[in-house]
Amino acid sequence: MEPNIYLQSSVWFANLGGNGTTGTAKSSRTFDVGDTLDLGGKEKVPSFDAFFRWGKSRVIFSWNKGSYSGDNHLHDDLGFNGLTFPAGGKLRSDLDYDRRRLLYGRPLLDGKRLALGFLIGLESYRVDANLRMKGTGSGSSGLDSRVPVLGASLTLSLVPGLRIYGEATSTSWERSGIKSKLISAYGDIEYSFISDILAVTLGYRYSYLDADQPGEHSFVLRQEGAFAGLALKL
């Protein structure tokens, strides 16, 4: 039986990939997260997942925020938010990527060992990018929005103390002039101990964002990787 309160803190070893465009400079405005900005490595992303249950219903909250930094010598001029960084210069890049979800979930199939349910709610994201080069200056760009999402969840309880859980949500929505496509998915294996109050979790998480504010900014970002955490169940 699921607990009434579930709190999980984890570290997500997330690789970042993708690209973006921003600004109105005459030079190339497209940048690759890895090749251009050197932000494609793996980072330790703090994550938090929780749910509160009453009856068969659940309110679910999740949050993670990745902070990526890199240094790279540009092979070509890069236009970024009205500023042009010249080829050959050393570019310093920082990108913060914050995602949060607030969902309602309820099982459609609620068996002793298998449960399948639906998820509905809101997901918000915020992307902040800052680029700077000595002798040229610095430029910043960002996008943020909050959109409705739909999804599904699955729970398998095959043996006492061991649980397999997975969920996925997605959306394609336009709000306040920003077109957003999002996918979030993760699955984990949870082993409980100390009278089923604490649990260790190991899993894999995937996150995709395609955000476009036509004529202004766009970001396509992918995060994926394994995570490990500790959960409190009450």
Side-chain angles (χ1 to χ4, degrees), residues 50-182:
F51 71 74
F52 303 92
R53 183 177 69 88
W54 72 97
K56 292 187 176 182
S57 298
R58 292 187 300 160
V59 173
I60 302 164
F61 174 78
S62 65
W63 166 85
N64 60 73
K65 181 178 181 180
S67 296
Y68 298 84
S69 298
D71 294 288
N72 198 26
H73 288 277
L74 292 178
H75 298 292
D76 302 291
D77 289 355
L78 172 65
F80 185 83
N81 207 18
L83 188 66
T84 300
F85 295 101
K90 186 177 182 181
L91 183 70
R92 172 70 178 177
S93 307
D94 296 300
L95 186 143
D96 290 330
Y97 182 22
D98 184 297
R99 288 184 68 157
R100 306 178 188 207
R101 296 186 301 160
L102 181 63
L103 307 171
Y104 171 79
R106 187 176 177 88
L108 300 174
L109 171 64
D110 191 16
K112 184 177 180 180
R113 298 185 182 276
L114 172 65
L116 294 172
F118 73 89
L119 302 170
I120 184 171
L122 295 173
E123 180 161 353
S124 67
Y125 64 85
R126 183 178 183 87
V127 181
D128 291 303
N130 180 271
L131 277 59
R132 53 196 181 274
M133 181 183 290
K134 186 176 181 180
T136 301
S138 64
S140 298
S141 177
L143 275 177
D144 64 272
S145 189
R146 183 182 297 110
V147 293
V149 295
L150 291 172
S153 64
L154 178 148
T155 304
L156 282 173
S157 302
L158 301 178
V159 296
L162 190 65
R163 186 188 77 147
I164 299 174
Y165 179 77
E167 67 178 44
T169 58
S170 67
T171 192
S172 180
W173 199 269
E174 182 173 353
R175 180 174 181 266
S176 301
I178 301 175
K179 300 176 181 179
S180 304
K181 295 180 182 179
L182 296 94

Side-chain angles (χ1 to χ4, degrees), residues 10-43:
S10 62
V11 176
W12 181 21
F13 303 94
N15 285 300
L16 179 69
N19 57 74
T21 60
T22 185
T24 57
K26 294 182 180 180
S27 56
S28 172
R29 293 178 290 139
T30 301
F31 57 86
D32 183 272
V33 167
D35 294 340
T36 308
L37 306 185
D38 192 34
L39 302 177
K42 184 179 294 185
E43 292 290 338

